[in-house]
Amino acid sequence: MSLNPAAPPAVYDPNGVGSVYPDEKGYISEKRGSLVEPHPEYDVIEASGGHELKRDLKSRHMQMIAIGGAIGAGLFVGIGGAFQSGGPASVLIGFIIIGAAMYFVMQALAELGVMYPVNGAFFTYAHRFISPAWGFATGWDYAIQWLTVLPFEITAATLTLEYWKASRELDKAVWVTVFLAVLFIIQIFGVKGYGETEFFLSIIKIIACSGFIILGIIINVGGVPTDDRGYLGGQFWHEPKGQAFKGGFLGFCGVFVTAAFSFAGTELTGLAAAEAANPIKSIPMATKQVLWRICFFYILCLLIVGLDVSSDDKRLLNSSNDNTKFSPFVIAIADANIPYLPGIFNGVITLSVISVANSCTFGSTRTLQALAARKMAPKFFAYVDKSGRPIWCIVLQFCFGLLAYVIDAGGDAPGQFFNWLLALSGIGNLFIWASICISHIRFRKAWKLHGHSLDELPFKASFGMTGSYIGVFLFVIVLMATFYTAVASLDAESFFTSFLAGPLILFLYLLWKVVTKEWYLLTPLESIDVSYGVRTNLEDLQAAAEQQRKERAMRNFPMRVVHTLF
């Protein structure tokens, strides 16, 4: 094949890419090796079929994507079981610790995302800075997580509608069809449709959380005329009406597991970085400000729930991600005898579940497309149409969505089916988050080894490598807590559903080792070319970052606080 004379020369990447020959647009004309990536001179996104993923996500989309991926049924419903088993103090401490760990993860992801705007984000970073086998396991595990979560979320959304009598009279399969149709329509509009949907649904959730915080305070001080309980104060933190640390150490460990699940999806901001229009503005803002918003809404909401609902309430025993009739939020409102509002809040929960389902389609399709672009998945999954949609990845995701029709099987079969299906993700989030931190640590080491300074980075993680080390440590602690909880349950099924993702990750890791016959544990730091794939306008980004640092002076502190929260 003859190359265009205007095209740059071949570039060899020591990470095993081989020689890559991009044409004048940055597309690959000829290649040797096992991995295809664009030349660093061109700021393009890997694609197949002559089309690219679109950079249509604006800053407001990026911020709301993080909220939409994190605030969902895990917060509104799943915490009921955590309150019942661990008590309000354990819940608060557990969520604060996981929130801190996620802060370190998002800081690391922002630093990498601003420097290397690649599709697949953390999968690509793990492949490059840790090892190809680790990247393969990370990418496929993340794709499998979202593929298997979609039918569960559709089922959960269907069951939330049973709160209303009129909905109970219809066959559940009808609502499954409606939700699948809604998700299909969103996909027609590509990444812009995903971004706009998350933007508006997240606004609704923020309004709901803010409203509940205000209402919860009024309920607690006895300001609701229909509530004959009067002033509640902190009575549910003390016996005989409740316990701050219920269930002892075992209860506390169980809260860790729930908290980790509830924060799942926050990392989607990093995955969306490749399709962001203004990375130096949107990525750092989304990772810093949005996480503070999540912590703000999570911690305050949990504090209010713990003050207004007793951890001894028997209804919390039935709390699950698909049973909103026993959501602690709905219980708090219903116990105050406020008419209509419990149903309205239940509607918000339904929308939040749809939001997570929408995130499922984005998370799985973009990761799978990135895997295929690097020849780690079937080639046809790399295809992107002229509208920037990875069509075959979307088709596969919707095929998994059809599994939601299992809800019509009746009896305990659907519950058992989804328990084992979700077990494929299980502890996978801990693996993903730890991998992001490890990728950041090894990037920093390779950056220094090749003679670069931190001053060259347009965005630097607030706590540097120290934060990433702390993040890895905290995730190991959560993993140990999960193991302890599973063993203490003395239930073999509970143990295997908690840790089925572990053998899956190990299998994926070893599979790539066997296929490539590369038996080294980590890619040598000296072999990592940190200049490969860096944004072409790095100097402009550095100048913009410096300007942003000046704008964050102390004189602007009051407005920065307002912008961070709202």
Side-chain angles (χ1 to χ4, degrees):
M1 177 183 294
S2 61
L3 299 177
N4 189 309
V11 175
Y12 182 77
D13 177 32
N15 294 322
V17 178
S19 298
V20 180
Y21 301 83
D23 62 17
E24 70 277 2
K25 293 183 179 180
Y27 296 118
I28 304 304
S29 299
E30 183 177 334
K31 59 184 181 296
R32 293 193 297 271
S34 60
L35 180 63
V36 178
E37 291 190 359
H39 189 278
E41 183 177 344
Y42 300 99
D43 192 13
V44 299
I45 304 172
E46 302 92 326
S48 173
H51 304 294
E52 303 172 13
L53 297 174
K54 301 295 184 181
R55 293 188 185 277
D56 287 336
L57 291 178
K58 302 185 184 304
S59 179
R60 61 185 178 89
H61 296 139
M62 295 287 288
Q63 295 178 58
M64 292 303 176
I65 284 171
I67 292 181
I71 298 179
L75 170 65
F76 291 133
V77 186
I79 60 166
F83 271 109
Q84 198 281 328
S85 61
S90 294
V91 169
L92 274 180
I93 295 173
F95 272 78
I96 289 173
I97 292 174
I98 297 298
M102 287 307 301
Y103 178 77
F104 297 131
V105 170
M106 299 304 290
Q107 285 286 299
L109 194 54
E111 183 176 304
L112 292 169
V114 171
M115 285 290 290
Y116 305 100
V118 292
N119 189 26
F122 31 85
F123 141 66
T124 306
Y125 303 143
H127 177 281
R128 179 173 184 174
F129 297 115
I130 303 178
S131 75
W134 196 301
F136 179 80
T138 301
W140 270 107
D141 177 65
Y142 195 71
I144 290 171
Q145 281 186 56
W146 288 119
L147 286 170
T148 54
V149 166
L150 179 62
F152 171 79
E153 294 296 339
I154 294 174
T155 302
T158 300
L159 292 176
T160 61
L161 296 177
E162 293 194 348
Y163 183 88
W164 296 280
K165 182 179 179 181
S167 177
R168 292 196 294 268
E169 295 174 354
L170 291 176
D171 192 284
K172 295 184 181 67
V174 174
W175 293 114
V176 171
T177 304
V178 170
F179 289 132
L180 283 173
V182 169
L183 292 174
F184 177 78
I185 292 173
I186 294 173
Q187 293 305 307
I188 291 177
F189 297 96
V191 69
K192 198 165 188 177
Y194 164 72
E196 293 293 349
T197 301
E198 284 304 296
F199 178 76
F200 287 108
L201 290 181
S202 294
I203 287 177
I204 293 174
K205 287 184 280 188
I206 289 173
I207 293 173
C209 287
S210 302
F212 178 82
I213 290 171
I214 296 172
L215 177 62
I217 294 173
I218 296 174
I219 291 174
N220 187 261
V221 299
V224 178
T226 56
D227 190 353
D228 56 6
R229 294 175 299 173
Y231 176 76
L232 298 177
Q235 58 180 298
F236 293 141
W237 284 55
H238 309 284
E239 294 182 353
K241 294 188 176 182
Q243 300 177 52
F245 293 95
K246 189 176 180 181
F249 183 68
L250 179 61
F252 180 72
C253 290
V255 169
F256 266 127
V257 178
T258 304
F261 173 79
S262 298
F263 274 98
T266 309
E267 73 289 337
L268 281 171
T269 309
L271 193 65
E275 296 172 75
N278 188 352
I280 188 59
K281 177 181 179 182
S282 59
I283 297 175
M285 186 179 294
T287 53
K288 293 179 68 175
Q289 295 184 349
V290 170
L291 188 62
W292 283 113
R293 295 179 195 180
I294 291 174
C295 291
F296 171 79
F297 290 119
Y298 264 88
I299 302 307
L300 272 184
C301 281
L302 294 175
L303 175 62
I304 298 301
V305 168
L307 291 172
D308 292 353
V309 179
S310 171
S311 59
D312 289 335
D313 194 312
K314 300 302 181 184
R315 290 170 293 181
L316 294 177
L317 289 170
N318 298 308
S319 287
S320 64
N321 289 338
D322 57 5
N323 196 342
T324 58
K325 290 182 291 185
F326 299 100
S327 162
F329 289 80
V330 176
I331 290 174
I333 299 171
D335 285 351
N337 296 314
I338 303 174
Y340 306 115
L341 197 54
I344 293 174
F345 206 92
N346 187 78
V348 172
I349 296 175
T350 303
L351 291 176
S352 73
V353 176
I354 296 175
S355 172
V356 175
N358 186 38
S359 296
C360 290
T361 59
F362 182 83
S364 64
T365 55
R366 268 52 181 185
T367 303
L368 194 58
Q369 192 274 333
L371 282 163
R374 287 158 179 76
K375 295 190 175 181
M376 290 183 165
K379 183 178 179 180
F380 64 90
F381 283 127
Y383 176 77
V384 176
D385 71 2
K386 63 181 180 181
S387 298
R389 297 169 298 199
I391 293 296
W392 292 112
C393 299
I394 293 173
V395 170
L396 177 64
Q397 178 67 86
F398 273 88
C399 287
F400 271 83
L402 296 175
L403 294 174
Y405 285 107
V406 171
I407 193 175
D408 255 0
D412 295 331
Q416 291 292 328
F417 174 75
F418 285 116
N419 281 342
W420 285 104
L421 194 65
L422 292 176
L424 292 173
S425 55
I427 59 173
N429 277 319
L430 302 179
F431 174 70
I432 298 296
W433 296 334
S435 296
I436 293 172
C437 292
I438 295 172
S439 298
H440 177 243
I441 292 170
R442 288 184 53 79
F443 157 71
R444 280 287 189 95
K445 289 183 176 181
W447 186 256
K448 181 179 179 180
L449 181 65
H450 288 281
H452 296 282
S453 69
L454 296 182
D455 293 334
E456 298 176 61
L457 301 178
F459 176 82
K460 294 184 283 291
S462 297
F463 293 89
M465 284 198 303
T466 302
S468 293
Y469 276 118
I470 295 173
V472 173
F473 171 76
L474 290 176
F475 292 131
V476 171
I477 294 298
V478 174
L479 182 64
M480 295 171 62
T482 305
F483 181 81
Y484 174 71
T485 304
V487 171
S489 67
L490 301 178
D491 183 351
E493 180 177 340
S494 175
F495 177 82
F496 284 109
T497 54
S498 297
F499 279 89
L500 184 61
L504 173 64
I505 294 170
L506 180 61
F507 168 76
L508 292 170
Y509 178 81
L510 294 177
L511 176 63
W512 190 252
K513 290 288 188 185
V514 171
V515 170
T516 61
K517 296 180 172 57
E518 297 173 346
W519 298 105
Y520 55 86
L521 181 62
L522 299 172
T523 300
L525 290 176
E526 58 271 14
S527 298
I528 300 175
D529 184 357
V530 293
S531 63
Y532 186 83
V534 173
R535 290 186 185 273
T536 57
N537 58 338
L538 196 59
E539 292 183 0
D540 295 336
L541 294 181
Q542 291 168 346
E546 181 61 30
Q547 180 62 30
Q548 287 186 17
R549 278 191 285 270
K550 293 179 180 178
E551 293 174 355
R552 291 197 296 265
M554 284 304 296
R555 60 187 176 85
N556 298 324
F557 183 75
M559 289 307 299
R560 283 164 48 205
V561 173
V562 173
H563 290 158
T564 296
L565 297 178
F566 302 103

